Amino acid sequence: MALRSIGEVATTLVGEYLASRLGVINPRTLPALRTRAIRLGVWWRVSPLRRGLLDSVIFFIRRGGVVKSPGLLAAIRQAALEVLTLILSRRLTLVAYLIGLRLLGRVRQLVDGVRAVVALGIMWLNTPNWYRPDITP
Protein backbone atom coordinates (compact mmCIF):
# COMPACT_ATOMS: atom_id res chain seq x y z
CA MET A 1 0.00 0.00 0.00
CA ALA A 2 1.62 3.22 -1.14
CA LEU A 3 0.88 6.35 0.86
CA ARG A 4 -0.59 9.04 -1.34
CA SER A 5 -1.37 12.60 -0.46
CA ILE A 6 -4.94 13.76 0.03
CA GLY A 7 -4.65 15.89 -3.11
CA GLU A 8 -3.78 12.88 -5.26
CA VAL A 9 -6.62 10.85 -3.77
CA ALA A 10 -9.08 13.71 -4.28
CA THR A 11 -8.01 14.31 -7.87
CA THR A 12 -8.26 10.60 -8.70
CA LEU A 13 -11.68 10.16 -7.11
CA VAL A 14 -13.16 13.30 -8.65
CA GLY A 15 -11.70 12.42 -12.05
CA GLU A 16 -13.27 8.95 -11.97
CA TYR A 17 -16.58 10.40 -10.79
CA LEU A 18 -16.69 13.01 -13.55
CA ALA A 19 -15.59 10.62 -16.28
CA SER A 20 -18.49 8.32 -15.50
CA ARG A 21 -21.09 11.10 -15.19
CA LEU A 22 -20.01 13.82 -17.61
CA GLY A 23 -21.83 13.75 -20.92
CA VAL A 24 -21.23 15.82 -24.02
CA ILE A 25 -19.63 19.21 -23.39
CA ASN A 26 -21.26 22.15 -25.13
CA PRO A 27 -18.44 24.36 -26.47
CA ARG A 28 -20.53 27.45 -25.64
CA THR A 29 -19.97 26.78 -21.92
CA LEU A 30 -16.18 26.86 -22.21
CA PRO A 31 -15.74 30.63 -21.57
CA ALA A 32 -17.53 30.30 -18.22
CA LEU A 33 -15.43 27.23 -17.35
CA ARG A 34 -12.22 29.08 -18.21
CA THR A 35 -13.26 32.14 -16.16
CA ARG A 36 -14.07 29.99 -13.15
CA ALA A 37 -10.77 28.10 -13.40
CA ILE A 38 -8.83 31.37 -13.59
CA ARG A 39 -10.73 32.79 -10.64
CA LEU A 40 -10.03 29.70 -8.52
CA GLY A 41 -6.37 29.61 -9.53
CA VAL A 42 -6.33 26.20 -11.20
CA TRP A 43 -6.14 27.31 -14.84
CA TRP A 44 -2.34 27.28 -14.84
CA ARG A 45 -2.27 23.71 -13.52
CA VAL A 46 -4.01 22.44 -16.65
CA SER A 47 -1.61 21.04 -19.23
CA PRO A 48 -0.48 23.69 -21.73
CA LEU A 49 -1.74 21.70 -24.72
CA ARG A 50 -5.26 21.44 -23.31
CA ARG A 51 -5.21 25.08 -22.23
CA GLY A 52 -4.28 26.08 -25.76
CA LEU A 53 -7.03 23.87 -27.18
CA LEU A 54 -9.65 25.44 -24.94
CA ASP A 55 -8.42 28.97 -25.67
CA SER A 56 -8.48 28.39 -29.42
CA VAL A 57 -11.97 26.85 -29.33
CA ILE A 58 -13.23 29.78 -27.23
CA PHE A 59 -11.73 32.21 -29.74
CA PHE A 60 -13.24 30.25 -32.65
CA ILE A 61 -16.70 30.25 -31.05
CA ARG A 62 -16.58 33.96 -30.26
CA ARG A 63 -15.87 34.63 -33.94
CA GLY A 64 -19.05 32.77 -34.90
CA GLY A 65 -17.67 29.30 -35.57
CA VAL A 66 -19.42 26.02 -34.85
CA VAL A 67 -17.58 22.88 -33.69
CA LYS A 68 -18.89 19.78 -35.48
CA SER A 69 -15.96 17.37 -35.55
CA PRO A 70 -16.46 14.35 -33.25
CA GLY A 71 -12.71 14.09 -32.69
CA LEU A 72 -12.45 17.72 -31.68
CA LEU A 73 -15.48 17.39 -29.41
CA ALA A 74 -13.84 14.40 -27.71
CA ALA A 75 -10.62 16.38 -27.20
CA ILE A 76 -12.63 19.30 -25.81
CA ARG A 77 -14.39 16.90 -23.43
CA GLN A 78 -11.06 15.57 -22.14
CA ALA A 79 -9.71 19.09 -21.63
CA ALA A 80 -12.89 20.19 -19.86
CA LEU A 81 -12.76 17.05 -17.75
CA GLU A 82 -9.25 17.96 -16.58
CA VAL A 83 -10.31 21.51 -15.72
CA LEU A 84 -13.44 20.34 -13.88
CA THR A 85 -11.43 17.74 -11.98
CA LEU A 86 -9.04 20.41 -10.73
CA ILE A 87 -11.92 22.71 -9.80
CA LEU A 88 -14.03 20.11 -8.00
CA SER A 89 -11.16 18.40 -6.20
CA ARG A 90 -11.01 21.52 -4.01
CA ARG A 91 -14.54 20.88 -2.72
CA LEU A 92 -14.23 19.14 0.64
CA THR A 93 -17.83 18.01 0.73
CA LEU A 94 -17.62 16.29 -2.65
CA VAL A 95 -14.29 14.63 -1.85
CA ALA A 96 -15.59 13.44 1.54
CA TYR A 97 -18.75 12.10 -0.13
CA LEU A 98 -16.77 10.17 -2.74
CA ILE A 99 -14.43 8.75 -0.11
CA GLY A 100 -17.41 7.76 2.05
CA LEU A 101 -19.02 5.98 -0.90
CA ARG A 102 -15.76 4.18 -1.63
CA LEU A 103 -15.50 3.05 2.01
CA LEU A 104 -19.07 1.85 2.17
CA GLY A 105 -18.94 -0.17 -1.01
CA ARG A 106 -22.01 -2.35 -1.25
CA VAL A 107 -23.43 -1.89 2.26
CA ARG A 108 -25.08 1.46 1.60
CA GLN A 109 -28.34 0.37 3.25
CA LEU A 110 -26.63 0.70 6.65
CA VAL A 111 -26.24 4.45 6.19
CA ASP A 112 -29.08 6.86 6.89
CA GLY A 113 -28.28 9.38 4.19
CA VAL A 114 -25.82 11.63 2.47
CA ARG A 115 -24.75 13.31 5.70
CA ALA A 116 -23.57 10.00 7.14
CA VAL A 117 -21.57 9.26 3.98
CA VAL A 118 -19.93 12.71 4.11
CA ALA A 119 -19.21 12.24 7.84
CA LEU A 120 -17.55 8.91 7.10
CA GLY A 121 -15.41 10.53 4.41
CA ILE A 122 -14.37 13.36 6.73
CA MET A 123 -13.45 10.81 9.41
CA TRP A 124 -11.23 9.05 6.86
CA LEU A 125 -9.60 12.36 5.91
CA ASN A 126 -8.89 13.12 9.57
CA THR A 127 -7.36 9.70 10.25
CA PRO A 128 -3.54 9.56 10.21
CA ASN A 129 -2.01 7.81 7.20
CA TRP A 130 -0.73 4.95 9.30
CA TYR A 131 -4.23 3.86 10.39
CA ARG A 132 -6.11 4.84 7.24
CA PRO A 133 -7.66 1.96 5.26
CA ASP A 134 -6.93 1.85 1.54
CA ILE A 135 -9.83 3.00 -0.63
CA THR A 136 -8.55 1.92 -4.04
CA PRO A 137 -10.74 -0.75 -5.67
Side-chain angles (χ1 to χ4, degrees):
M1 179 175 97
L3 296 177
R4 299 186 308 172
S5 71
I6 297 296
E8 292 173 0
V9 170
T11 304
T12 303
L13 286 175
V14 171
E16 291 173 2
Y17 175 77
L18 284 175
S20 66
R21 294 217 165 41
L22 192 64
V24 178
I25 296 291
N26 185 358
R28 299 240 177 244
T29 62
L30 294 178
L33 181 66
R34 181 180 182 271
T35 303
R36 184 172 183 124
I38 289 171
R39 189 176 71 235
L40 293 174
V42 298
W43 180 249
W44 303 110
R45 294 180 186 198
V46 178
S47 70
L49 183 65
R50 291 189 175 158
R51 252 191 348 245
L53 172 69
L54 291 177
D55 282 338
S56 62
V57 169
I58 290 170
F59 179 74
F60 179 69
I61 288 172
R62 285 187 179 159
R63 303 289 273 171
V66 178
V67 178
K68 295 181 182 178
S69 168
L72 181 58
L73 287 173
I76 291 171
R77 182 184 185 276
Q78 289 300 318
L81 182 71
E82 182 179 349
V83 174
L84 284 171
T85 300
L86 290 172
I87 289 173
L88 292 177
S89 64
R90 299 175 135 225
R91 303 282 180 170
L92 175 66
T93 308
L94 178 64
V95 172
Y97 177 73
L98 294 174
I99 289 172
L101 285 179
R102 201 48 84 85
L103 288 173
L104 286 177
R106 300 183 190 269
V107 290
R108 291 189 185 145
Q109 63 268 18
L110 299 176
V111 178
D112 293 337
V114 175
R115 287 184 150 187
V117 175
V118 171
L120 184 64
I122 290 175
M123 284 187 266
W124 185 88
L125 287 169
N126 285 332
T127 304
N129 288 341
W130 184 264
Y131 301 106
R132 194 180 285 167
D134 193 20
I135 60 171
T136 56

